[in-house]
Every structure is written in C-alpha cells, then in structure tokens.
Amino acid sequence: MTDKIEEKVALQTEDSRNQGRRAFLKGSAAVAGGVMFTQAANATGSAGFDAKKAVAPYAGKAELTDVLADNASRKTLGFGVRKYPYGMPSPFEKEVQRRTLEWLTPDSMASITMSPIHQLHGIITPNGLHFERFHGGVPTINPDDHRLVIHGLVERPLIFTMDDLKRFPSVSRIHFVECPANGALEWKGIQLNSVQWTHGMMSCVEYTGVRLSDLLKEAGIKPEGKWIIPEGADASGMARSLPLELAMDDCFIAYAQNGEALRREQGYPIRLVVPGCEANMWVKYLRRIMVHDVPMQHREETSKYTELMPDGTAQRFSWYMEANSVITYPSPDFKMQGPGKYYVRGLAWSGRGKVAHVDISIDGGRNWKEAHFTSPVLDKAWTRFEFEWDWDGSEAFLMSRVTDETGYVQPPMPQMRNLEGTNNVYHRTAMVTWRIHAWEDGKNGGLVENVQY
Ligand SMILES: Nc1nc2c(c(=O)[nH]1)N[C@H]1C(S)=C(S)[C@@H](COP(=O)(O)O)O[C@H]1N2
Ligand SMILES: [Mo]
C-alpha cells in the first residue's frame, strides 16, 4: 500500500515538473511576447545577450520539443470539485512543515514548533504553518460557551459572548508575532544550521477583531485603573500585565486570522493582539481582562519574561520587539546552484513601527548596499526585501541589517553580546551571517553555513 502511494507520488512529481515548465514557458511567452525565443536567437550570434548573466538556462529546440510534448497530466482528468471541501496544499509541498527540536521540547503539552520561514513567500504566514507555543496544551473551546469578562477597577463589569464581540466595529491589520525567545539558541554561539531554528519562532498574519479600547471604554476604567491583566482559558492560565496606555493604544482582540476563524493553536476563539510586543503578552483563549492599579506580582512574568543582564540583575519589562532582519534565501537549507545571478531575499520587521531600509553585505559587514522591498511596508509587520547579486563563485559572507523608522540600527552579534552578556535568553536580535562556501571548495562547494560575525 505504502509503496503504491510512493510510486504514485514519484510519477506525479515528474508530471508536475513538466507541467511547471510548460506553464512557465506559456506564461513568459504571453507576458514578454516570446522573450525566450529572442534570447535564443541572440545567444546564437547577435549581440546584447550575455548567457553568463542570464538567470534562466538557454532552451534549445530539442529541449523545447521534449518539454512541450503531451504528458500524463494532460491526458487524464484531475480530481473534481468537492474532493476537498477545505483545500489542502499539493502533496509535493509536504516537506513544508512547522517543526520542533526533540531536545528543546521534550513535552508536547508545554512545547514549541517553529515556522519554516525559509519556505515562505511574501509576508503572510499560512494558518497551518504558524509557529506554536503553549504552556498547557491546546484546548478545543466551543465558542457558544466561551465568554470574555472585563472586571476589576471598572464602572460596569461586562460579559461578552463571541457574537457580542462581532457586533463591535472591526479592524483588520497585518502584524508579526514573535516570541522573545526567537534566536535565543544562538546567544552563546552557533548551534543550528537552519533559519527555521534560528528565526522560526515568529509568524506574520492578517488579524481581524475588535479594538480593546472600544471594550475598555464600554466598561469605563476607574481613575485608579492603571494596568490590565489578561488571562487565558487554557490549562496554563497564561496571564501577563500590560500598562493601560498600551492597552488603549493599538491592541485588539482577534477572532480571525488570514480571513478565517483563528486556529485552535493560535487561541480559538479569541486572542489578544499586542502589535510590536513580545508574543507572551498576546494571551490566547482570552477569558478575562482584569483592570488593576498595579502589575501582577507573583506570576511567571516576573521570573521568566525578563532579560538577565551580565551583573545578574534583570530588566523586568521589555515589551517591544526590536527591529530585526534575516536573509531567508540563500540560507543554510539551500545550496548554491553555481556562480551567476541570485536574488537574495529576506524578512525585516520592527516592533516600533515601519522598516525604513535594509542593507546587505556580501563580505561579512565591510561594505553595504541597499536592498529594495518587494512587499508593502506596514507598521509592525514583516517586510520582504530583495537584493540582486552576481555571485562570482568565491567565498562570501551574507548579512542583512535593518534600520527602522525610529532610526534604530540592528547591531552586530559581538556588540550585542558585549552589551548584554550571555546570561540572557531573550531578545537576541543581532545580525546573523551566512557563509557561502566557494563553488570550488570541494564537497562543501556552494553550501550555506550559519556562522557568527
Ligand atoms: N493562553 C495562552 N496564551 C499564550 C500562551 C499560552 O501558553 N497560553 N503562550 C504565549 C507565548 S509564550 C507565545 S510565544 C505565544 C505563541 O503564540 P502562537 O502559539 O499563536 O504562535 O502565545 C502566548 N500566549
Ligand atoms: Mo513565547
């Protein structure tokens, strides 16, 4: 049985590759009016075409005939409508998964999985690939039974059903969400050779929900009320304190993510969205918000979500995620395909606003050139950058450095380590370096390796 399935998959792979090539040829002919053929003509004599600088390989007549020949997928019908009432990715994408490290998360109830950010495109994380972090398992909550309570130092304690929440004006915003432990494994030195491990504790989606300020105004905050303590309905009873100014600013309570209801892993039926801030404040399965005069004293946040400085003292509250960036292609999961033109791609984001610009170095930080953006530039959201690079095949050290709209510049790793030491677990947001091995470097030729510079 298994063998049969594998056989089928192998066959389909071949077919879909051919189909992919055909679609590409069709597409380029339609868009560029037969560029492929013009290039072919140039390559055989005329000036103006430099085969060495081309990204796409030259297609001769024999290859074209071969690729354009009918194949299995054109001779049989595919599957019909209603096969998947809820659509699934192609089976050929089955390696694109969130993953965990066994040694990092021995217990699946208090666990984490990382998003395969090297396999994502643009700035939106699909719901099924959103990173996951939970302290007490994922509850399956019936939204009809779920309530949100706002109480404490308020004029009118309130109880909302999920339908009540949807009657408020809605907001839809694209934001990144990042665990402050993202990158933490690399504080002391290099550990892992994949951007999924070094930066996958984050995602970026479109949330829809209701403004927290609308609900708090409805309840009426008493003058003594200075903090809110949101709490989750899962077994972990996750709770954190937020100052009222932050709560009244751009926070909202999301019921939807990328156009559909939140996934259970992400807090179904509702989660708090605290744009730009540490993900642990984004309480999932939100069941109550208590308005208080002081922050919570004895909970996890005071012991855990602090930054331990070299002298042993702790920075107690560090809410915002600093500007950060990373090159996702090429990165250690890829191997270079030979000297030639590459489009270096990556993500930049800032918890304090918009990304202003991203610079790229190919020589380990000595020289920098500006990348351009290929996505919208949004507030507290991922921004996708790209940089054209002619790789001559020699050893290179790729780095990206973001500057955000506040003027903050992403520091190099040695600078961050000197400043904060290595006791810290959180907020390791310094630059990373990918070493590209020279093409002629024996069996390592073209490998991409995580090194710290
Ligand atoms: N109720 C509840 N909310 C929670 C948590 C939790 O365990 N329970 N984990 C927090 C932490 S530490 C992180 S990093 C984010 C993870 O969000 P995600 O699972 O949607 O990626 O949720 C936060 N909110
Ligand atoms: Mo987290």
Side-chain angles (χ1 to χ4, degrees), residues 9 148 222 403:
V9 169
L148 171 65
K222 289 191 172 160
T403 304

Side-chain angles (χ1 to χ4, degrees), residues 133 179-180 279-280 305:
R133 172 82 179 102
C179 176
N280 50 63
Y305 294 109

Side-chain angles (χ1 to χ4, degrees), residues 130-131 133-135 179 234 238 266 271 279 282 284 305:
H130 196 290
F131 86 104
R133 172 82 179 102
F134 28 86
H135 297 76
C179 176
D234 52 334
M238 181 86 191
Q266 269 64 60
R271 96 174 298 167
W282 301 44
K284 305 189 277 189
Y305 294 109

Side-chain angles (χ1 to χ4, degrees), residues 181-210:
N182 202 18
L185 300 166
E186 305 268 301
W187 259 118
K188 293 193 167 71
I190 290 303
Q191 289 217 65
L192 299 152
N193 222 29
S194 168
V195 74
Q196 183 162 10
W197 307 135
T198 60
H199 292 76
M201 291 188 208
M202 62 168 180
S203 294
C204 184
V205 298
E206 184 206 59
Y207 296 100
T208 299
V210 41

Side-chain angles (χ1 to χ4, degrees), residues 325 357-360 365 368 399-403 409-411 431:
S325 73
H357 58 94
V358 173
D359 298 304
I360 303 292
W368 296 91
M399 299 174 84
S400 66
R401 181 183 67 192
V402 63
T403 304
V409 184
Q410 187 181 5
M431 295 187 257

Side-chain angles (χ1 to χ4, degrees), residues 229-243:
I229 304 178
E231 184 190 76
D234 52 334
S236 78
M238 181 86 191
R240 286 220 53 189
S241 320
L242 275 73

Side-chain angles (χ1 to χ4, degrees), residues 108-161:
S108 69
M109 288 299 153
S111 190
I112 188 154
T113 63
M114 281 91 137
S115 195
I117 58 170
H118 57 294
Q119 288 159 317
L120 301 182
H121 305 276
I123 58 170
I124 299 292
T125 309
N127 286 338
L129 296 174
H130 196 290
F131 86 104
E132 309 164 275
R133 172 82 179 102
F134 28 86
H135 297 76
V138 174
T140 298
I141 295 173
N142 181 339
D144 294 341
D145 301 335
H146 193 71
R147 298 289 181 272
L148 171 65
V149 173
I150 299 187
H151 67 140
L153 295 170
V154 295
E155 305 295 343
R156 294 168 295 280
L158 298 173
I159 302 175
F160 300 93
T161 64

